[in-house]
Amino acid sequence: TYALAQEIESIKSHDIASLRQDWYAENKRMMSSIRTAMDEAIHRVEDNASTFQETVNERVDTCTDDLPMVQSKLDGISDQFESNRAELKRVEESHKQRIDALFHRGQQFDQRLGDVEGKVNTAACNIKSLFDE
């Protein structure tokens, strides 16, 4: 029985050592697989980041190339706006002068009309006094 116990213990020890070696081998294989997967993922992320950076740089370059043209158009629009503003001021001033002139003429017309009404009233009084006599 002692020999049998030793044999069982030997098998256990041998099996445990074998299992331990298998576990370490499997662990090493899995760690290697994980490292490989991580490295591949990192490379894909780096490639995607590089592609994204290139796209951004191209768009920035395009915008930078278009900037002088846009600035020129804005300058033209600004000049046109200033010209329109100056023209509007001239038109407003001319309109104000015309309104003032019309108002002044209206006052003169009112004064002449008042003078004519006064003369008509005087003439009517004179005519009435002639009929009354």
Side-chain angles (χ1 to χ4, degrees), residues 85-109:
R85 183 190 299 190
E87 180 64 22
L88 181 61
K89 265 190 169 173
R90 284 190 291 274
V91 168
E92 284 177 342
E93 185 60 34
S94 173
H95 182 67
K96 183 179 181 277
Q97 289 174 356
R98 287 179 183 174
I99 287 176
D100 289 346
L102 286 173
F103 179 73
H104 183 66
R105 285 183 197 159
Q107 285 181 331
Q108 288 176 343
F109 179 76

Side-chain angles (χ1 to χ4, degrees), residues 47-60:
D47 289 344
N48 288 341
S50 178
T51 302
F52 177 74
Q53 184 65 43
E54 288 172 10
T55 302
V56 169
N57 288 341
E58 288 172 5
R59 287 186 181 176
V60 167

